[in-house]
Amino acid sequence: MLNCDTLIRNASVVDGSGMAPELMDAALRDGRIVEIGPSLPFHAADVIHADGLVLAPGFIDVHTHDDTTVIHQPTMMPKLSQGVTTVIVGNCGICVAPVRVDGEPPDPMNLLGDAGVFRYPTFAEYVTAIRDARPSVNVAALVGHTALRNNHMDRLDRTATASEIDAMRGQLQEALDGGALGLSSGLAYLSAHAASTEEILELARPLASAGGVYVTHMRNEAEDILDAMREAFEIGRLSRVPVIVSHLKCAGLANWGRSGEVLNSLERAQTMQQAGCDCYPYAAGSSTLDLRQVDERVEVTITWSMPHPNVAGQTLAQIAATWRVSQLDAARQLQPAGAIYHSIAEGDMRRILRHPATMIGSDGLPNDPHPHPRLWGTFPRVLGRYSREEGLLSLPEAIHKMTGMPAQRFGLTGRGLIRKEFAADLVLFDPETIIDTATFSNPISAAHGITSVWVNGVLSYTSQGATGARAGRFLPRGKTSWIQRLKP
Ligand code: ZN
Ligand code: CU
């Protein structure tokens, strides 16, 4: 008999590759999967009988804003409780490293916290802070274009000069050398909207030789979405880097029903270059409060407001009625603020969610006092509601979008699959009961059905809650590999 630390017996193993479940045992030792197969001849201190349960690779949340949360609330309950074992931070053009801010951070960098949390002038200092904080989940990081702009520009309502781009590029290169996954942008926000395509192209030059990716919250997600997609793919093509479109959606009433066109554009790009996207399983978005998105026909919920903190959780319509002003005027008075916009059609969201190019990313906003429920619910909602209850996608497909696919696309080597020698990031759950419980009215609520979560072989969460062990690591960029799976 061989020895191991943990032996999981008789689990229905969904390995993350998209393949059908198989009944197997998994032996874990020193943070790795040492053997996987039926009836393993192993001896372990910890033996788990997993009959009836699914064992999957730990979920990878490809789209997060957990940049400061992994340091300040290292237990990471919103994510750990969903079976997430790795978060990718630095999305939407914003990050905390390499960053220096004078005064208040510009919108939307304020989503990550106030001025006091921006304490990592170099990427290396951020990596050290993660190591010291020992979060319960692994962390991999992108570098944000907006953050680099803010480091080097006196104002953000113009495109950067050649020397400013040089300075930004130097910081990007240094971060890539330190293990960053690539560059993210948030061109829809006013802090980056004035940046020309050339600015991004010039900045993106170090990505190709480093093997990094370009991840973008596009310039437009409403009427002009196809132009914005063209720009994103052009940047990828000319820079010779993979493109990942963040939280792909058709936003705004005038744009409903266009997911077919949008996915066609993505599929066309895929015939020429590496292209993909992520998506959260809700028909509502959330970010800072944007006056351009205030539309009396769309329900908007305020998630926070600096001048009026007591209105968090109320709708903009309620606030405007109480104040006897228009919604736009109310929105002006609430700023800076955060909002949930119920501006996505469920049918569009479903079509994007099940598309083979789509990964799952929560886009959760951990600093919001009344957050969008995606922060606590995304992964169990895909598995329980959209896979089991609605049959929108099979369980192996859903898990592939959360594990094997993101690991390959972002270069998280040795993760995302259940394979011998891979890291023992694992989640055990009940496929019959897994479900999200977070709602728009009660958004801070852990999912049901997650039995156990191991991070680097360490049991970190059970149905009783967090175990207190925190075994997450900083994950430097590995080699990306893009196998563009055809439609099932
Ligand atoms: Zn975004
Ligand atoms: Cu985001």
Side-chain angles (χ1 to χ4, degrees), residues 63 65 91-92 185-186 189 216-217 221 246-247 249 286-287 363:
H63 191 114
H65 295 289
N91 277 283
C92 296
S185 68
Y189 293 102
T216 180
H217 176 155
E221 296 180 320
S246 295
H247 41 60
K249 64 170 92 65
S286 182
S287 185
D363 203 7

Side-chain angles (χ1 to χ4, degrees), residues 277-337:
C277 66
D278 61 69
C279 174
Y280 46 78
Y282 296 85
S286 182
S287 185
T288 45
L289 176 59
D290 177 2
L291 299 180
R292 297 169 298 173
Q293 290 191 59
V294 173
D295 174 341
E296 307 251 335
R297 298 166 301 172
V298 167
E299 185 177 303
V300 176
T301 309
I302 300 302
T303 52
W304 58 273
S305 162
M306 212 96 99
H308 301 277
N310 55 318
V311 303
Q314 292 183 33
T315 68
L316 186 58
Q318 287 164 346
I319 299 164
T322 313
W323 293 354
R324 298 171 183 278
V325 295
S326 70
Q327 292 195 22
L328 197 59
D329 280 336
R332 279 199 193 94
Q333 293 177 42
L334 288 164
Q335 278 185 321

